[in-house]
Amino acid sequence: MRIVLLGAPGSGKGTQSQRLVERHGIPQVSTGDLLRAAVAKGTPLGLKAKEAMAAGRLVADEIVLGMIRERLAEPDTRHGFILDGFPRNLAQARALDALLGEIGQPLDAVVQMEVDYGELSRRISGRRTCSDCGRVVNLLTSPPGEAEREACPKTGKPHRLFQRPDDNEATVTERLKVYEQQTRPLVDYYREQALLHTIDAKGPVAEVEQRLERALAQ
Ligand code: AMP
């Protein structure tokens, strides 16, 4: 299963990817996570990416494509992968097609996760990540206290939750604009390739998960 999850920031790509990983045993490949790791380590690539990320703009295609090429060459992707946050513009989508064509592993499906603008902003403001295990939780949509009570699988202690620096209001506005201008055109691109499935990504995580599974089973 080689799939792309397409959707605006806050549409639930990361959350649903993590669930797909557990159920299907294929890795999540998130360019956002790879870039954040590079920034945290202070690698030359991370230093180049940092400014664009903080401003909510896209990082240069050559940087992201280099990372994807390396990641998809790793053996754990042989039986499939979930691309989360990549591709983000037409040039990346075309480069991905070329790369997967070279290795004879074309995409099976692209799922567009639809959520309205107001809900996206609300979700992003409540989003927190555990600095130990990377789990993403939402303080606004999960039952009160649940995220804080749950034990982190890495440390056995409560999750240490932090808010991503680019989840502030000004950066989120820019990221949503970038999505509309650069990423949304991919909906038509994949529709023309007959790969596109659109699901309603509003509502409880478990319901969205069922819609996603139904779309993938088609
Ligand atoms: P995400 O975690 O997917 O929301 O990504 C966080 C930030 O990383 C984005 O706002 C971009 O600055 C950068 N980024 C992630 N994926 C890509 C990509 N495919 N192309 C360019 N920039 C990206």
Side-chain angles (χ1 to χ4, degrees), residues 32 35-36 39-40 50-56 124 127-129 161-173 175:
L35 287 165
R36 276 185 289 277
V39 171
K50 196 171 176 177
E51 198 188 326
M53 291 175 78
I124 294 174
R127 178 156 74 180
R128 300 289 184 279
T129 310
L161 299 177
F162 73 97
Q163 184 172 33
R164 275 171 48 177
D166 61 344
D167 274 353
N168 68 75
E169 213 177 315
T171 311
V172 168
T173 305
R175 286 161 64 205

Side-chain angles (χ1 to χ4, degrees), residues 9-32:
S11 59
K13 301 185 299 294
T15 301
Q16 292 300 334
S17 295
Q18 289 176 355
R19 295 193 158 220
L20 285 172
V21 168
E22 284 167 22
R23 267 195 322 278
H24 298 276
I26 52 173
Q28 166 192 16
V29 177
S30 155
T31 41

